[in-house]
Amino acid sequence: MANRKLQSEIDRTLKKVTEGVEAFDEIWNKVYGAQNINQKEKFEADLKKEIKKLQRYRDQIKTWLASNEIKDKRALTEARKTIEQVIWCDTRVKSVITTCQEMERFKVCEKETKTKAYSKEGLAQAAKSDPLEEKKENSREWIRASLSELAEQIEAFEAELETLEQSGKAKGKKSEASDRRALLEQRVARHKGHEL
């Protein structure tokens, strides 16, 4: 009976480990997808809570691994390694790159969120714009370029209008010139309306 109870507890813990790792990845994506600092700090706190849970599960798994009651320890060993890949980096073993990558990723995230806005590092990071600001700046640049193009077209239309007025005095083709003049005046008015 005790063995069955222990096995069901192990199964529950292994399931919680799997869910915890998925939650960690989900929160991790939220940290880097956050639009403002408050959201990022909230998600980082959630990330730390998830790490604490996973560490507790890892400690429980280590206890079970050390126990002689459990015969098949492969699932427990695998779960422990998964947790360590997410939250732990053994700096003495440089060959285990995957273990270090997750912890380094968290360290970078933690450092970014703890950096004060007006510190040297914070001001240096301010130069690196966030994705939302980058999109806004791209939109502003597009608007500037469009306004510049409109201004050039207005100048071209006005120049053509002047040449039509001068050639209209010399030649007698008033119907074609007046149609073209009306079209150009309409375009100039529409372009100026867009500039506003």
Side-chain angles (χ1 to χ4, degrees):
M1 183 71 180
N3 218 5
R4 216 179 289 153
K5 200 175 196 180
L6 178 64
Q7 188 59 43
S8 67
E9 187 178 346
I10 290 172
D11 291 340
R12 274 191 308 247
T13 303
L14 292 176
K15 184 178 178 185
K16 287 179 182 178
V17 166
T18 304
E19 291 170 356
V21 170
E22 289 171 1
F24 178 87
D25 287 337
E26 199 173 294
I27 295 169
W28 178 262
N29 292 332
K30 287 180 182 178
V31 167
Y32 277 99
Q35 299 298 323
N36 60 34
I37 294 171
N38 292 336
Q39 284 181 329
K40 200 168 191 175
E41 287 174 355
K42 179 191 172 291
F43 291 137
E44 185 191 42
D46 293 345
L47 200 62
K48 286 181 182 181
K49 287 178 191 174
E50 204 58 47
I51 287 174
K52 297 279 187 209
K53 283 184 197 175
L54 288 172
Q55 286 173 334
R56 283 195 305 270
Y57 295 144
R58 182 186 63 189
D59 292 341
Q60 181 62 48
I61 289 170
K62 282 183 179 180
T63 305
W64 287 329
L65 285 171
S67 163
N68 290 332
E69 293 177 31
I70 302 164
K71 304 296 180 212
D72 188 17
K73 298 181 181 183
R74 286 178 294 183
L76 292 172
T77 306
E78 200 60 39
R80 182 183 56 86
K81 285 180 182 177
T82 302
I83 292 171
E84 288 174 352
Q85 282 182 343
V86 173
I87 63 171
W88 184 71
C89 176
D90 185 359
T91 54
R92 293 170 289 171
V93 183
K94 302 222 188 251
S95 63
V96 185
I97 295 171
T98 56
T99 310
C100 295
Q101 285 175 340
E102 294 296 322
M103 194 61 188
E104 288 301 317
R105 204 170 69 158
F106 176 71
K107 285 180 184 177
V108 168
C109 171
E110 189 174 36
K111 184 177 180 181
E112 286 177 358
T113 55
K114 286 185 178 180
T115 303
K116 303 246 186 300
Y118 295 105
S119 67
K120 287 180 183 177
E121 290 179 12
L123 292 172
Q125 278 183 350
K128 302 175 189 173
S129 62
D130 64 315
L132 184 63
E133 273 302 312
E134 203 171 293
K135 287 179 182 177
K136 285 180 181 178
E137 186 56 37
N138 288 342
S139 297
R140 287 185 198 112
E141 184 60 36
W142 179 83
I143 290 171
R144 279 189 222 106
S146 297
L147 286 174
S148 174
E149 189 175 327
L150 283 174
E152 289 174 14
Q153 288 178 3
I154 288 172
E155 284 180 28
F157 293 153
E158 287 174 343
E160 191 176 343
L161 272 171
E162 285 179 20
T163 57
L164 281 176
E165 286 177 13
Q166 290 176 0
S167 66
K169 291 177 185 176
K171 298 179 183 174
K173 297 181 182 179
K174 292 189 178 187
S175 65
E176 282 183 28
S178 64
D179 289 344
R180 181 69 180 158
R181 187 175 300 123
L183 178 68
L184 289 173
E185 287 172 352
Q186 179 187 6
R187 286 184 179 171
V188 167
R190 185 179 40 189
H191 280 34
K192 284 186 178 180
H194 287 302
E195 280 185 328
L196 300 175

